[in-house]
Amino acid sequence: MWQPEGMADSFAARFAAVRARFGPLVWGLDPSGDLLNAWGFGDTAAGLDRFADIVLEAAAGTVGLVKPQSAFYERHGWRGIRTLQRLLASARGAGLLTILDVKRGDVGSTNDAYAEAFLGAGAPLEADAVTVHPYLGLAAMGAFVSRASSAGACLLVVTRSSNPEGRIVQEARVMPGTGDGPGTGDGPGTGDGPGTGVGHSVEEALLAEIGTLNVALAPGQIGPVGAVVAPAHLDRAHLEPALDLPAAHALFLAPGVGAQGATSADVARTFAACPGRVMPSASRLLLSAGPDPGALRDAAAALAAKFRAALPATGLDG
């Protein structure tokens, strides 16, 4: 299988390499029970194994990144975890970048344990990037951040999610002096810039703190801390406040393409200021073409071509 020559150390550089060959599309590998049954495999651990074999065959050489959602594997117990472990290792061996969608987030030694499970050489479920929730404070993610940075991995912080229920938290206004989180008078990202003081939202504050971290960890480059930012649909674009995405010095995972309604045009419009940094993700839209590997491959190649055309960026936009 194709692998990028001279794999660079940072996730951002590896993403730039696969993007140049395959485009930015991330293929979500989410084997729900309904999907396994629809494919005729049965909602069993054996059916999950068959799913993993087929999607690996279809994805390698077609896209540059895959994103398994851990929950769909965990629900099958230890056998599902074994399949996930095999899927991650085989995908990375085939030259695919792996984003493990786990959305973990805790404090102290618990975060240390999570980071050890997913990031760095020898991690039992080693991935190139993982998703995390920041709502116990981004400063509590120190183990994740340091491990991602040293391993050349990426931490993708949920900042603006694709579900409407998340907006009440993400749009909430940050008040100064209310704690040590982003946008307060006590922690990183303080002062008069975005994400500080009255009138800035949680999502703005998170992006500001991500930018501060990346400037410190990778001066003049795209840093190891990225963000999950859902594209605004055309009919809601006027309701979604614009975010200062370039200032985060980050890569962005853009969920919600296809079944959740987002299009390549929505992604291009949302990330117009940094099109080379976005990783649009689709799952159900692509998996509906299965289980034939050729049909899956054709569906992924067609969507990948759409995104290559919609996001014609060179490098990582500076």
Side-chain angles (χ1 to χ4, degrees), residues 23-53:
L25 178 65
V26 179
W27 191 343
L29 306 182
D30 302 347
S32 68
D34 287 344
L35 182 85
L36 293 176
N37 285 325
W39 280 19
F41 296 165
D43 184 15
T44 64
L48 184 68
D49 265 334
R50 292 181 65 189
F51 168 87
D53 290 338

Side-chain angles (χ1 to χ4, degrees), residues 5 17 67-68 72 83 100 118 135 140 177 184 191-192 212 236 244 264 277 311 315:
E5 294 182 10
K67 181 178 70 69
F72 290 115
T83 300
L100 185 55
F118 304 125
Y135 297 111
T184 71
D192 297 324
T212 299
R236 286 189 50 81
D244 187 3
S264 57
R277 301 186 197 175
L311 302 166

Side-chain angles (χ1 to χ4, degrees), residues 254-275:
V257 173
Q260 290 181 274
T263 66
S264 57
D266 293 329
V267 175
R269 184 175 56 254
T270 301
F271 297 92
C274 52

Side-chain angles (χ1 to χ4, degrees), residues 94-184:
L96 291 157
L97 292 183
T98 56
I99 300 173
L100 185 55
D101 199 352
V102 289
K103 295 189 179 73
R104 299 297 197 262
D106 212 292
V107 297
S109 60
T110 305
N111 268 347
D112 294 347
Y114 279 142
E116 290 168 4
F118 304 125
L119 297 174
L125 291 167
E126 184 182 354
D128 296 293
V130 294
T131 58
V132 295
H133 273 304
Y135 297 111
L136 292 180
L138 194 55
M141 294 286 170
F144 272 115
V145 172
S146 62
R147 200 167 179 94
S149 180
S150 63
C154 184
L155 193 67
L156 293 162
V157 179
V158 176
T159 302
R160 174 180 285 181
S161 60
S162 57
N163 65 310
E165 298 88 347
R167 302 307 295 142
I168 192 171
V169 173
Q170 295 150 15
E171 292 178 342
R173 294 296 164 186
V174 175
M175 304 296 288
T178 55
D180 295 329
T184 71

